[in-house]
């Protein structure tokens, strides 16, 4: 429905943050109502008697229940249940027009996709330069790589590329390589959100226990010792 009816409105709003926010709020309300069609029913909690209460001396006797009143309450509740709406919301089917051709939307997103592809290429190239010991080339690309880490796709790309090098038994690094890899991992984790916890952060866990450097004979430093402060 959004694609079919709201495209003109969305284009008109593109420069106006207030209108965009109002539109998002309206959408959020619709989605919320769709997920929660019935208001929450308040449950009455019956308090449990305290421990040792039966030992008290001045206990009041339980009052006699009036049979007529109890039956009246039951009848009232039964009548309410019979008039209550069905528990499942009936689904209304409707035809939604196809809206503008998909090409029009892709044209607008074309530049963004091209930029994203370029960023991923920069990340891949930089990692290749680091592992090929072409440090000058890696240094030139490094600021662009750190900027690219703002995007989730680039963070995923980093974990995939590093994983390939681990599989090729290239996990023991020299000092410069180790420094580059650690800075990339730190930047990646710094820009992670809660949504990345089970994706990017989880993918980095086996990598930080694989990449290492030899500090002196018999002493090895693993990558996790440099990135373990992240939440």
């Amino acid at each position: 429905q959004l694609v079919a009816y709201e495209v003109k409105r969305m284009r008109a709003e593109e420069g106006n943050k207030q209108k965009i926010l109002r539109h998002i709020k309206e959408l959020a309300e619709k989605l919320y109502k769709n997920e929660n069609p019935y208001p929450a029913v308040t449950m009455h909690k019956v308090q449990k008697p305290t421990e040792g209460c039966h030992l008290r001396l001045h206990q009041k006797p339980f009052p006699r229940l009036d049979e007529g009143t109890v039956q009246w309450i039951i009848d009232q509740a039964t009548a309410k249940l019979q008039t209550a709406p069905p528990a499942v919301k009936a689904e209304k089917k409707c035809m939604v027009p196809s809206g503008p051709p998909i090409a029009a939307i892709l044209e607008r997103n074309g530049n963004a996709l091209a930029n994203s592809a370029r960023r991923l290429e920069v990340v891949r190239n930089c990692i290749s330069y680091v592992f090929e010991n072409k440090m000058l080339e890696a240094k030139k690309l490094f600021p662009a790589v750190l900027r690219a880490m703002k995007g989730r796709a680039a963070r995923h790309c980093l974990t995939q590329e590093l994983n390939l090098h681990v599989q090729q038994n290239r996990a023991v690094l020299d000092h410069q390589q180790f420094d580059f890899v650690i800075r990339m991992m730190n930047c990646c984790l710094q820009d992670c959100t809660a949504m990345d916890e089970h994706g990017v952060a989880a993918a980095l866990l086996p990598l930080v226990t694989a990449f290492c450097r030899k500090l002196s004979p018999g002493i090895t430093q693993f990558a996790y010792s440099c990135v373990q402060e992240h939440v």
Side-chain angles (χ1 to χ4, degrees):
Q1 278 177 333
L2 193 67
V3 171
Y5 299 128
E6 307 281 331
V7 171
K8 281 182 186 169
R9 179 179 168 184
M10 284 159 82
R11 281 190 182 155
E13 287 172 356
E14 265 177 357
N16 191 325
K17 279 189 179 177
Q18 298 310 112
K19 282 184 179 175
I20 292 172
L21 280 173
R22 198 183 316 133
H23 194 178
I24 290 170
K25 272 186 183 171
E26 284 171 19
L27 277 175
E29 278 172 23
K30 279 183 195 171
L31 288 169
Y32 183 80
K33 279 176 185 167
N34 186 55
E35 294 295 319
N36 306 280
Y38 301 111
V41 181
T42 52
M43 299 294 286
H44 296 290
K45 287 186 180 176
V46 179
Q47 286 186 326
K48 284 184 178 179
T50 54
E51 282 180 33
C53 66
H54 59 284
L55 300 172
R56 289 183 194 150
L57 296 171
H58 50 277
Q59 258 184 325
K60 288 181 182 178
F62 192 80
R64 275 187 72 79
L65 297 178
D66 177 32
E67 198 178 330
T69 311
V70 171
Q71 192 56 50
W72 179 78
I73 292 167
I74 292 170
D75 293 343
Q76 290 278 96
T78 312
K80 262 189 192 171
L81 279 175
Q82 282 169 351
T83 56
V88 180
K89 192 166 77 168
E91 210 175 289
K92 285 181 187 171
K93 290 189 170 70
C94 64
M95 284 296 291
V96 177
S98 59
I102 202 82
I105 296 164
L106 284 175
E107 275 170 27
R108 296 176 65 222
N109 294 342
N111 290 340
L113 289 170
N115 282 342
S116 179
R118 271 200 296 274
R119 281 189 199 131
L120 300 189
E121 196 56 37
V122 165
V123 172
R124 287 192 192 101
N125 288 343
C126 186
I127 292 170
S128 295
Y129 291 147
V130 168
F131 283 91
E132 288 162 16
N133 255 322
K134 296 178 179 173
M135 291 307 171
L136 257 173
E137 280 90 340
K139 266 181 191 171
K140 284 177 196 168
L141 292 182
F142 205 64
V145 170
L146 298 188
R147 278 197 304 276
M149 287 300 135
K150 298 273 179 216
R152 189 175 290 130
R155 296 198 286 270
H156 273 292
C157 179
L158 176 78
T159 61
Q160 287 164 351
E161 289 296 309
L162 291 177
N163 192 40
L164 288 175
H165 289 288
V166 168
Q167 286 169 4
Q168 293 165 11
N169 291 328
R170 296 167 80 182
V172 181
L173 311 172
D174 67 26
H175 295 304
Q176 249 190 321
Q177 289 173 320
F178 188 81
D179 183 50
F180 269 100
V181 169
I182 291 299
R183 282 167 72 190
M184 282 191 270
M185 283 178 169
N186 269 322
C187 189
C188 177
L189 286 167
Q190 184 182 319
D191 289 314
C192 276
T193 62
M195 289 166 77
D196 295 316
E197 190 177 329
H198 304 294
V200 175
L204 276 176
L205 272 178
L207 300 175
V208 297
T209 57
F211 285 110
C212 59
R213 64 172 166 180
K214 298 266 185 253
L215 293 179
S216 64
I219 295 174
T220 305
Q221 181 187 14
F222 283 90
Y224 65 81
S225 63
C226 304
V227 300
Q228 60 193 6
E229 299 303 315
H230 293 278
V231 180

